[in-house]
Structures are given as structure tokens and as C-alpha cells.
Amino acid sequence: MSKILVTGGAGFIGSNFVRLLLERTTHAVVNFDALTYAGNLENLAGLEKEPRYTFVRGDIRDAAAVRAVFETHAPDVVAHFAAESHVDRSVLDATAFVATNVVGTQVLLDASRAAGVKRFLHVSTDEVYGSLGATGRFREDSPLQPNSPYSASKTGSDLLVRAAFHTHGFAAIVTRCSNNYGPYQFPEKLIPLMIANALEGKPLPVYGDGKNVRDWIHVRDHCEALLRVIEKGRPGEVYNIGGDSERENLHVVRQILALAGRGEELIRYVTDRPGHDRRYAIDSGKMRAELGWTPSVRFEDGLAQTFRWYVDNRTWWERVRSGAYREYYERWYGQRR
Ligand code: NAD
Ligand code: DAU
């Protein structure tokens, strides 16, 4: 059994990963999360008394807090999810993106190396490769051409991880995944936003012509892939992870409207995102060949399941939209946020 420090474990993918670790492995988990607007302990409801799970509120930019968590908990493995993750927010203000994604990652790398961590997983994104035309797919050796402040900051962090391996022989691995969807995704991202708006009969804002393409992967498939990389991946390597499910945004929005029993009159074409990447598509051949991983969820099935989850867990996203989710920390951990 190992002890895994998960950063950003109160976010969308991190919380799904914490749940997967506790369900499927015997590892102990320390969740280190600053609880920004995107961190929601209600994503982890039910785990408060789980003996293999510990929550520590802390910021990866804070070197003393990061050192303290290593001294207290002595993790063997770090799985690094913590980041500012929303492209639109990075267009408005990139400051927090550079501070957390770039500086915070270096703070974490330094502390992990000093503490003798045996394996460091850096969870990155396909957006570091930029945008594709009508054909082709991103491979691990595709050029790094980030277009948004978000993706530029993630690229910076990827390169710092690469440098930690090459300079210090630190056993770090980078994964680059395509667009995730599934339970507990913050309703500012396309799929949960459109589901929540459709359920409430509100307009669905489609950027530009709606023909941008994303390669969707169910969060469970991503988390399974990350576990495989921790167990069997080679230090110093990059692994692309994708869902083999390219869909135009408009197609996704129409499917959500159909699931909700709503008509197309709810669609609103709005001003495009500045610098909007046209198409992403991932070649996951290396994950298949080296680690025997393939995505298992068909997009249409995963979308229907996700839609059902948002119907069944309406309180979860209503509390996010109202801001009430911020009280949860105080109730369980007895401090004000
Ligand atoms: P999210 O925004 O839902 O969650 C981010 C989490 O990080 C939150 O819990 C937040 O509180 C925490 N956090 C932010 N700044 C912090 C800091 N300074 N110190 C400690 N904790 C901090 O993000 P997500 O969608 O779950 O993405 C997780 C990771 O996966 C990110 O690194 C992102 O770049 C990457 N990724 C996301 C996707 C996607 O489709 N969502 C795809 C590929 C890669
Ligand atoms: O590719 C991986 C990336 O996917 C991750 O690294 C990011 O953290 C994650 O946020 C996601 O980035 P995108 O920008 O692709 O995701 P988003 O859900 O914001 O948008 C998906 C597509 O939908 C994109 O083409 C923009 C469009 N969109 C989005 C929103 C929020 C709309 O048309 N309307 C909207 O309201």
C-alpha cells in the first residue's frame, strides 16, 4: 500500500480520482486543496470518516504549507491535479493561472523531490498542443503551441516537470488528456452548463458558429488511465489520453436538448471566445500500446448517464450555482473559508 498525495482533489477530476483510489485500491489518500471557487468538498461527501482518507486545506503556492504536508503525511506518490482550469477565466485575468499552474507546480516539485517522493504524476491537457485543422491528431511529439493563457500556463508547468526529470532525475510523468465530462463537473464548463440551463429552461450560450470540435472522454476513463500511469508509466515520459469521441459543440448541445426534452429555441449564438481553438483530437496509441489502456465509455452512453446524474443530483449543482456549497467546509472542518 502507498500513500498518495492528491492535489486539487476537491475539484472535478481530482474528486473522481480520490473516489476511484478508495474504491479500487488499498492506497491511503491525502487530499491537499486550497478550495478555490472550483474546490467543493461536497464532491467528496460521504468520505469524511473514511480512515484511508485525509483532507488538508492548503495552497500549492505556499511553500511552507506544502513542506508541512510532506512532513506530516510522508506520501510516496504525488498526483498533481490542482490548477486554475477554465479557459474563459484565463482570458479575463491570467494572474492566478501563472501563480498556481506555473509557480505552484514548481513549489510542489521542489517539495516532492526534497521529501523523496518516488513518483510524481502531472495531470496536464491536450490544449498545450494548440489547435488542429480538419484532419490529424495530437501525438506526444506534436509541437507545443498553446493559444490561451490557461494552456500557456499548463505548458509552462509541463516543461518544469520535464526539467525536474532531466536535471534531477526526479521520477515525474506527464499526462495530457482531452475534454472530460461526468459527475461533479463545475457548471461553468460546456456540458454541465448546458445540462443545468436546459433543465431550468434557460438559454444555452453557444460560442461562434458552434462548429468547434472537442474529443470527449468520460472522467472515469481518464481516472482509470491515470491509475495505470501511476502503476506502470515510465518516468520522464508523456502520455496522451483521449476518448476517441470527436463531436462538434452544436451536436453536443443538441443532444443535451433532446435528453432534456427541450427545443432548439433555447440555443443562443453568442460572441466567440477570443483565440478559440477550433479542434482537438488525441492519438492515445502510446497508452494503448505501452499500458494496455483504452477508453470504455461510448460518448452517447456517457452523456446520457451524466445527464441523469445532474437530474438526480440537482441539489449539488443548485448549491454550486447559489454559492451555498461554500458552507460545507465550515460544517465539517469547523473553520470559515
Ligand atoms: P477544477 O477546476 O474542477 O478543480 C481544480 C481544483 O484545484 C479545485 O479543487 C481547486 O480548489 C484546486 N486548486 C486550485 N488552485 C489551487 C492551489 N493554488 N492550491 C491548491 N489547490 C488548488 O479542475 P479539473 O477540471 O478537475 O482539472 C483538474 C486538472 O486536470 C487540471 O490540472 C486541469 O488542467 C487538468 N485537465 C482538465 C481537463 C478537463 O476537461 N476538465 C482535461 C485535461 C486536463
Ligand atoms: O481539452 C482539455 C481542456 O478542456 C481542459 O484542459 C480544460 O481545463 C477544460 O476546461 C476544457 O477546456 P475547453 O475550453 O475545451 O472546455 P469548455 O467546457 O470551456 O468549452 C468546450 C467547448 O465549448 C469550447 O469549444 C467552448 C465551447 N463553449 C463553452 C462554454 C462554457 C460554448 O460554446 N459555450 C459555453 O458557454
Side-chain angles (χ1 to χ4, degrees):
M1 187 195 80
S2 298
K3 190 177 275 186
I4 304 192
L5 180 76
V6 176
T7 70
F12 162 48
I13 307 174
S15 63
N16 277 280
F17 188 67
V18 167
R19 288 184 182 278
L20 180 76
L21 285 177
L22 294 171
E23 279 164 30
R24 283 266 312 281
T25 75
T26 55
H27 303 317
V29 179
V30 179
N31 174 12
F32 186 77
D33 195 299
L35 300 181
T36 66
Y37 81 93
N40 182 356
L41 288 177
E42 294 186 12
N43 298 357
L44 297 157
L47 299 181
E48 297 81 4
K49 294 180 179 164
E50 162 62 49
R52 285 191 291 134
Y53 170 74
T54 309
F55 174 69
V56 177
R57 188 177 186 186
D59 194 317
I60 57 166
R61 294 168 294 183
D62 179 348
V66 172
R67 267 198 308 275
V69 80
F70 280 100
E71 278 162 19
T72 309
H73 296 282
D76 315 292
V77 175
V78 172
H80 177 34
F81 295 80
E84 289 293 336
S85 70
H86 193 41
V87 174
D88 292 332
R89 288 178 188 260
S90 80
V91 174
L92 293 173
D93 185 355
T95 313
F97 288 75
V98 176
T100 285
N101 300 359
V102 183
V103 179
T105 297
Q106 186 60 44
V107 168
L108 193 67
L109 283 167
D110 289 342
S112 303
R113 200 160 56 78
V117 161
K118 296 192 193 75
R119 188 157 280 234
F120 186 103
L121 169 70
H122 178 63
V123 181
S124 192
T125 170
D126 60 356
E127 298 198 13
V128 300
Y129 298 119
S131 184
L132 290 166
T135 58
R137 295 174 132 200
F138 298 131
R139 291 162 39 99
E140 288 80 358
D141 57 5
S142 297
L144 299 174
Q145 294 177 328
N147 291 320
S148 72
Y150 162 69
S151 53
S153 67
K154 289 296 289 188
T155 308
S157 64
D158 286 19
L159 297 181
L160 292 169
V161 173
R162 176 189 159 89
F165 172 76
H166 283 277
T167 304
H168 301 292
F170 183 55
I173 307 176
V174 174
T175 57
R176 297 187 180 135
C177 189
S178 59
N179 285 64
N180 285 223
Y181 69 98
Y184 302 111
Q185 187 166 27
F186 198 91
E188 64 183 352
K189 307 281 166 65
L190 181 76
I191 287 181
L193 176 72
M194 298 296 161
I195 292 176
N197 282 12
L199 290 173
E200 290 190 329
K202 290 182 177 163
L204 275 54
V206 171
Y207 298 165
D209 62 5
K211 293 190 187 301
N212 302 66
V213 172
R214 296 293 182 264
D215 178 358
W216 295 98
I217 182 170
H218 193 274
V219 64
R220 187 85 185 185
D221 273 335
H222 183 193
C223 290
E224 297 272 5
L226 296 176
L227 190 54
R228 198 72 66 94
V229 171
I230 288 177
E231 286 165 352
K232 298 195 176 130
R234 286 182 296 137
E237 293 293 315
V238 173
Y239 294 92
N240 281 355
I241 301 168
D244 287 335
S245 298
E246 287 182 54
R247 300 288 184 279
E248 276 187 2
N249 291 341
L250 206 47
H251 176 80
V252 174
V253 168
R254 288 193 171 125
Q255 279 186 291
I256 291 170
L257 284 171
L259 287 164
R262 301 274 189 179
E264 298 213 357
E265 66 280 1
L266 283 184
I267 294 177
R268 294 285 183 284
Y269 291 94
V270 299
T271 307
D272 208 355
R273 170 187 283 173
H276 196 174
D277 286 338
R278 193 62 170 172
R279 175 172 166 260
Y280 304 145
I282 280 272
D283 179 341
S284 326
K286 184 171 171 180
M287 280 295 296
R288 287 175 213 272
E290 267 194 33
L291 304 185
W293 171 88
T294 48
S296 66
V297 182
R298 225 182 112 248
F299 179 69
E300 280 63 31
D301 298 337
L303 187 64
Q305 283 166 22
T306 302
F307 179 80
R308 174 52 47 198
W309 188 89
Y310 280 82
V311 169
D312 293 344
N313 293 274
R314 192 169 181 129
T315 313
W316 177 88
W317 57 265
E318 283 181 345
R319 285 173 60 77
V320 172
R321 298 240 249 197
S322 73
Y325 71 109
R326 291 175 170 273
E327 295 157 13
Y328 195 86
Y329 178 76
E330 202 180 327
R331 182 146 42 89
W332 274 99
Y333 298 93
Q335 290 169 46
R336 281 200 171 273
R337 297 186 66 169

